Amino acid sequence: MSLFKRLLNPNYKKSDGKAKRAQHADHSSYYPEQKLPVDEKFTFNFKNNGGKFIYCENWEEITEAFDNIMLENDWYEQDVFCINKQLCQKFDGFNLNFGSSEKATFFLSNCESLVANNGSILLSSNQIKEKKLKELPLNVIIFATTSQLVDTISEGLRIIKNQSSGYIPSNITTIQDFETEKEKDFMSYGSSTKNLYLLLLEDL
């Protein structure tokens, strides 16, 4: 059972976690540290970066979650930057003005991959053309599927190359900083912070 299903499963009891911890305690301290599953690693790092994600098992739950985001932020009848025609069609019934407006309230897009080891979103010119992250709206809604989870950026780049039949999209970048109100330190200086929601659809 994936981490996402465990989180939503009321039958997943705390005793299960205790049993696993007890089993782990039996291992010698000389054993190598157990590698976290990709979904668990991504969830931890993505939330630690300040991202907000909603796990959905079907498209009906996706549209409900999207509706809740619109209500929460009062984003109905707003301009939306979205170059993905399929997403524009999917969310056509929400009184939104889709286009490439520079004054868009939020950016709606798919992505290349979800990178577990740093909790980032991998994008390319397929999603943002030649725009820099700082040129995108502050608010971002990303639609992705669980099959897009990868462990490292290198793995995500390899998938892009394999799917592109030799053509490598330009402008490959990642969004990793999602805490818009945090005080910047020297490690995050110069990064483009986004208020990001992730709609994650189970497809495995």
Side-chain angles (χ1 to χ4, degrees):
M1 180 182 293
S2 72
L3 171 70
F4 308 113
K5 289 184 178 179
R6 293 204 306 270
L7 290 174
L8 297 175
N9 185 359
N11 296 322
Y12 181 68
K13 300 178 181 178
K14 293 182 178 180
S15 58
D16 296 334
K18 291 180 180 179
K20 289 182 179 179
R21 288 195 294 272
Q23 182 180 11
H24 179 72
D26 291 337
H27 284 230
S28 167
S29 60
Y30 296 101
Y31 274 66
E33 184 178 349
Q34 290 184 338
K35 185 177 180 180
L36 287 175
V38 172
D39 54 0
E40 188 171 348
K41 188 190 302 185
F42 174 78
T43 300
F44 175 81
N45 289 328
F46 180 76
K47 285 188 172 182
N48 195 49
N49 291 342
K52 300 176 281 290
F53 90 87
I54 305 169
Y55 167 76
C56 303
E57 292 189 326
N58 52 57
W59 191 258
E60 288 72 23
E61 292 182 4
I62 288 287
T63 54
E64 181 180 356
F66 187 84
D67 189 35
N68 289 334
I69 294 173
M70 297 297 102
L71 288 171
E72 176 185 345
N73 295 282
D74 193 20
W75 285 347
Y76 283 111
E77 300 181 359
Q78 299 294 315
D79 291 339
V80 182
F81 175 44
C82 181
I83 65 173
N84 186 300
K85 294 182 180 180
Q86 291 182 333
L87 285 181
C88 292
Q89 293 173 354
K90 289 286 189 181
F91 296 106
D92 187 44
F94 288 88
N95 295 325
L96 298 169
N97 304 314
F98 293 101
S100 57
S101 172
E102 298 293 332
K103 298 181 180 180
T105 301
F106 66 92
F107 171 51
L108 173 65
S109 180
N110 60 346
C111 66
E112 297 291 349
S113 293
L114 308 173
V115 184
N117 71 346
N118 63 2
S120 68
I121 308 293
L122 183 63
L123 302 172
S124 77
S125 55
N126 290 331
Q127 290 83 37
I128 60 176
K129 295 186 176 179
E130 300 307 316
K131 287 184 177 291
K132 298 178 181 179
L133 291 182
K134 65 181 181 181
E135 296 176 312
L136 298 175
L138 169 66
N139 304 302
V140 178
I141 301 177
I142 295 292
F143 168 74
T145 61
T146 52
S147 62
Q148 290 180 280
L149 283 162
V150 298
D151 193 31
T152 65
I153 292 177
S154 296
E155 186 179 344
L157 294 176
R158 187 165 58 250
I159 292 174
I160 292 176
K161 182 178 180 180
N162 292 339
Q163 292 178 342
S164 301
S165 302
Y167 166 75
I168 305 298
S170 58
N171 199 21
I172 296 174
T173 188
T174 60
I175 311 178
Q176 187 177 344
D177 186 2
F178 314 124
E179 292 187 282
T180 57
E181 297 180 359
K182 77 175 181 181
E183 183 178 350
K184 295 292 183 181
D185 56 25
F186 75 96
M187 292 294 289
S188 58
Y189 180 76
S191 64
S192 184
T193 304
K194 300 297 179 185
N195 174 39
L196 191 142
Y197 292 86
L198 172 63
L199 298 177
L200 188 61
L201 178 64
E202 175 68 59
D203 69 339
L204 294 175

